[in-house]
């Protein structure tokens, strides 16, 4: 997916120039190929300083597949050799005589540059329709033609952009400000950032004249050799709700309830303790992950015990159960929540506790779990948010509870999912991280939700809502 701002910019009437800048390996050429794919109706041309057309095809097979639509032109050591007179009419045209400026330069080392005639011929033949020209890279071309970047961009503007309304994309192999930035109508930058030792790719929109910039920067991936940017996270809801599709558990592992997450972590081993640690600004949508696991276990005749917290209280859990088409299994859930005199418990799946009693007898969750297991049998998942426990228990008592919970989980061959939010005390976070079997971090970066494993170590994945199956699910995309 290409950012809408860039597509809108290149769709404007008239000619324009767009600089795509970044250090080698940041994805400039792959983004350019994606843009040529998106604008095949604009007679795309790819003028490159790479050695040969075969070499270009070898490195970028998609260009070979598109060879009928995208013309690859090798930049050799020769360029323009024909000049034509100006036409003062308003008719779209190629200003070939603008090249006379080059011929008048008193430079004995000047290179003759004839292959640009191919570009002019194609643009001319395609008029009055607009063409798209890619220069990859401006440094390589200017080095071969022995002209300055400022001169070359000015010449392209004079002979193609203004008179023929050509769209020109200029690849720049550096990040620092240059003298041609102000000549271009648009500038975007590609760069890599480090997140806890993991590489992520970012696109920044520096300027796009005449185009509204709603999202100035994007996280993107080059997975499978394709450019794909991610919009700011936005919750989605299915148009029609359909029953949850369970993923079978194995003899040794529970499925996470999500196919992508299973592929990354291989499911959750029976008797394991899973830590979901959330960063700052991560909203309550992340509860979809543990709820998917709960729905998957319950749909296979298991049970779920959930310590009620903001975002996963009785009403939210009930809504999720109904959305997953498990209303007939509502009593396979137990939501343990604090007593509220103004909202008395009226449903069997809710268990209320007195806050003071819970502080002194905090194994209420395990008692409810044992009851549920005795009533219904099958597998059990326990979901605990330590934010509420931290408000009720002292530091040492909470650490003892964590260690006890870990032992109980392994001994009883259940699954425990512990949720640790950004605000939790560092000492508690460290204890949870140390005893967990799988440690997953969720963060928001540039308004995009990401996930990665600390234990085991994984790459970064972007989390996006997925409602294709008719219920709230997620899609993970590897950031490469």
């Amino acid at each position: 997916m290409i950012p809408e701002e860039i597509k809108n910019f290149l769709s404007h009437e008239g000619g324009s120039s767009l600089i795509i800048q970044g250090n080698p390996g940041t994805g400039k050429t792959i983004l350019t190929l994606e843009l040529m794919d998106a604008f095949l109706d604009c007679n795309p041309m790819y003028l490159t300083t790479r050695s040969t057309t075969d070499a270009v095809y070898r490195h970028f097979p998609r260009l070979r597949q598109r060879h009928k639509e995208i013309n690859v032109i090798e930049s050799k050591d020769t360029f323009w050799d024909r000049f034509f007179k100006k036409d003062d009419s308003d008719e779209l045209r190629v200003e070939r005589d603008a090249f006379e400026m080059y011929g008048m330069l008193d430079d004995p080392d000047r290179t003759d540059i004839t292959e640009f005639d191919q570009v002019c011929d194609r643009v001319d033949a395609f008029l009055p329709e607009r063409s798209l020209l890619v220069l990859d890279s401006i440094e390589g071309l200017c080095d071969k033609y022995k002209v300055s970047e400022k001169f070359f961009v000015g010449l392209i503007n004079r002979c193609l952009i203004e008179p023929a309304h050509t769209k020109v994309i200029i690849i720049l192999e550096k990040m620092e400000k240059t003298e041609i930035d102000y000549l271009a109508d648009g500038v975007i930058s590609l760069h890599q950032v480090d997140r806890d030792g993991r590489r992520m790719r970012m696109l920044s929109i520096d300027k796009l004249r005449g185009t509204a910039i709603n999202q100035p920067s994007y996280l993107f991936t080059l997975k499978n050799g394709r450019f794909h940017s991610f919009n700011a996270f936005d919750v989605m809801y299915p148009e029609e709700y359909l029953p949850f599709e369970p993923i079978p558990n194995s003899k040794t592992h529970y499925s996470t309830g999500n196919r992508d997450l299973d592929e990354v972590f291989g499911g959750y081993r029976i008797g394991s303790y899973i830590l979901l640690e959330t960063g700052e600004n991560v909203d309550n949508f992340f509860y979809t992950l543990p709820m998917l696991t709960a729905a998957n276990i319950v749909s296979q005749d298991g049970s779920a015990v959930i310590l009620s917290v903001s975002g996963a209280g009785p009403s939210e859990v009930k809504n999720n159960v109904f959305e997953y088409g498990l209303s007939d299994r509502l009593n396979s859930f137990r939501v343990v929540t604090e007593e509220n005199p103004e909202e008395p418990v009226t449903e069997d799946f809710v268990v209320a506790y007195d806050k003071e009693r819970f502080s002194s007898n905090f194994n209420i969750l395990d008692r409810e779990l044992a009851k549920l297991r005795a009533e219904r049998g099958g597998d059990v998942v326990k979901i605990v948010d330590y934010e509420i426990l931290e408000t009720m228990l002292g530091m040492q008592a909470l650490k003892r509870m964590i260690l006890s919970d870990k032992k109980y989980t392994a001994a009883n061959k259940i699954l425990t999912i512990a949720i640790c939010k950004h605000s939790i005390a560092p000492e508690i976070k460290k204890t949870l991280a140390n005893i967990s079997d799988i440690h997953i971090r969720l963060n928001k970066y540039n308004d995009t939700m990401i996930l990665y494993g600390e234990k085991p170590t994984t790459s970064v994945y972007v989390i996006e809502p997925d409602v294709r199956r008719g219920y709230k699910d997620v899609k993970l995309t590897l950031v490469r």
Side-chain angles (χ1 to χ4, degrees):
M1 186 190 75
I2 301 168
E4 285 299 316
E5 291 90 345
I6 298 175
K7 289 194 290 187
N8 292 339
F9 172 76
L10 291 174
S11 299
H12 285 171
E13 292 296 321
S16 58
S17 55
L18 173 66
I19 289 176
I20 300 178
Q21 63 182 8
N23 293 324
T26 50
K28 301 180 298 298
T29 299
I30 292 179
L31 170 57
T32 299
L33 297 181
E34 210 72 47
L35 288 169
M36 288 191 287
D37 260 356
F39 289 90
L40 287 176
D41 59 341
C42 288
N43 182 34
M45 291 165 284
Y46 182 61
L47 179 59
T48 178
T49 54
R50 301 179 190 275
S51 55
T52 64
T53 302
D54 285 342
V56 173
Y57 286 157
R58 187 168 59 253
H59 288 102
F60 304 102
R62 287 175 54 224
L63 271 178
R64 186 187 298 277
Q65 297 166 7
R66 293 291 197 183
H67 72 278
K68 292 183 179 179
E69 297 97 340
I70 300 174
N71 187 238
V72 177
I73 302 172
E74 300 171 24
S75 176
K76 299 183 175 65
D77 288 333
T78 58
F79 206 63
W80 320 314
D81 64 353
R82 297 200 312 239
F83 310 117
F84 293 78
K85 294 183 179 180
K86 294 181 182 177
D87 186 343
D88 294 329
S89 72
D90 293 331
E91 183 180 359
L92 294 179
R93 65 203 179 280
V94 174
E95 287 280 18
R96 295 176 184 266
D97 61 336
F99 302 152
E100 290 179 359
M101 292 191 307
Y102 184 80
M104 290 186 290
L105 292 176
D106 185 16
D107 182 359
D109 295 325
R110 186 180 69 248
T111 303
D112 189 21
I113 38 185
T114 48
E115 84 270 14
F116 201 73
D117 281 329
Q118 297 177 53
V119 174
C120 294
D121 289 340
R122 281 183 63 92
V123 173
D124 220 353
F126 204 65
L127 291 174
E129 301 299 324
R130 296 174 302 168
S131 292
L132 173 67
L133 170 64
V134 174
L135 306 175
D136 185 6
S137 67
I138 188 70
E139 292 97 332
L141 290 166
C142 290
D143 182 62
K144 283 193 173 184
Y145 305 151
K146 295 180 172 52
V147 296
S148 71
E149 294 170 7
K150 181 179 179 181
F151 174 84
F152 190 51
V153 171
L155 194 57
I156 293 293
N157 188 62
R158 179 67 182 86
C159 70
L160 289 175
I161 295 174
E162 291 181 2
H165 290 182
T166 306
K167 303 290 185 182
V168 179
I169 296 175
I170 301 167
I171 305 299
L172 193 61
E173 295 280 356
K174 52 192 170 188
M175 283 293 293
E176 64 269 17
K177 290 285 185 182
T178 69
E179 61 181 356
I180 66 172
D181 282 5
Y182 77 92
L183 293 175
D185 301 300
V187 178
I188 62 176
S189 303
L190 305 186
H191 49 98
Q192 298 178 7
V193 296
D194 182 88
R195 185 77 176 198
D196 293 337
R198 294 162 176 82
R199 183 182 66 183
M200 293 195 295
R201 299 180 183 273
M202 294 296 300
L203 178 151
S204 300
I205 301 175
D206 302 322
K207 73 170 180 178
L208 294 175
R209 286 177 186 152
T211 302
I213 301 175
N214 298 317
Q215 185 175 332
S217 56
Y218 288 80
L219 188 65
F220 71 92
T221 182
L222 301 179
K223 182 182 178 184
N224 298 327
R226 300 296 300 266
F227 179 94
H228 182 95
S229 63
F230 299 96
N231 291 328
F233 184 85
D234 190 22
V235 177
M236 297 172 60
Y237 300 94
E239 293 183 4
E240 179 184 2
Y241 284 94
L242 298 172
F244 181 82
E245 298 177 12
I247 304 172
N249 301 317
S250 72
K251 293 181 178 179
T252 58
H253 286 72
Y254 296 115
S255 168
T256 65
N258 175 266
R259 289 159 181 80
D260 291 346
L261 207 57
D262 280 350
E263 187 174 334
V264 176
F265 294 101
Y268 298 146
R269 182 172 49 79
I270 293 172
S272 62
Y273 197 91
I274 312 302
L275 174 59
L276 296 182
E277 182 181 351
T278 67
E280 196 172 8
N281 301 322
V282 173
D283 56 39
N284 286 334
F285 179 84
F286 86 88
Y287 279 108
T288 300
L289 295 182
M291 286 307 301
L292 282 167
T293 306
N296 196 67
I297 288 177
V298 169
S299 65
Q300 297 177 71
D301 299 322
S303 306
V305 175
I306 303 169
L307 177 61
S308 173
V309 291
S310 174
S315 59
E316 289 84 3
V317 171
K318 185 175 181 179
N319 287 339
N320 280 321
V321 169
F322 276 72
E323 288 173 2
Y324 288 134
L326 299 172
S327 57
D328 60 330
R329 298 174 185 256
L330 181 60
N331 287 331
S332 293
F333 289 82
R334 286 292 183 274
V335 179
V336 180
T337 186
E338 185 179 354
E339 286 182 346
N340 184 349
E342 296 181 3
E343 297 181 13
V345 172
T346 58
E347 303 207 59
D348 293 340
F349 80 99
V350 181
V351 177
Y353 62 84
D354 176 81
K355 187 173 182 178
E356 294 301 323
R357 187 166 63 90
F358 190 92
S359 300
S360 60
N361 188 14
F362 48 73
N363 67 348
I364 183 173
L365 291 176
D366 293 339
R367 290 206 310 273
E368 290 301 322
L369 187 150
K371 286 182 188 177
L372 200 55
R373 202 172 201 181
E375 292 173 10
R376 301 184 175 276
D379 300 316
V380 182
V381 58
K382 179 168 66 173
I383 302 172
V384 182
D385 191 324
Y386 277 85
E387 185 176 51
I388 191 169
L389 292 177
E390 190 180 38
T391 65
M392 295 189 296
L393 303 174
M395 181 72 70
Q396 296 307 314
L398 186 53
K399 289 172 70 173
R400 288 196 300 271
M401 178 184 179
I402 293 170
L403 296 174
S404 174
D405 208 20
K406 163 72 173 177
K407 293 177 182 177
Y408 182 92
T409 297
N412 290 275
K413 300 187 183 304
I414 65 169
L415 176 68
T416 294
I417 300 177
I419 296 169
C420 175
K421 294 185 178 177
H422 177 73
S423 57
I424 295 290
E427 192 172 346
I428 298 302
K429 287 183 181 179
K430 183 178 179 180
T431 301
L432 287 166
N434 286 341
I435 64 99
S436 63
D437 297 295
I438 292 180
H439 180 185
I440 301 172
R441 285 185 186 269
L442 297 99
N443 277 297
K444 261 193 175 177
Y445 193 86
N446 196 49
D447 288 330
T448 301
M449 193 176 292
I450 61 172
L451 171 153
Y452 52 93
E454 287 285 8
K455 188 196 298 182
T457 302
T458 73
S459 300
V460 176
Y461 295 82
V462 169
I463 307 176
E464 295 177 286
D466 184 3
V467 295
R468 291 173 298 174
R469 292 183 174 84
Y471 52 84
K472 282 195 295 186
D473 201 350
V474 298
K475 177 177 69 172
L476 303 185
T477 303
L478 176 64
V479 176
R480 279 191 172 164

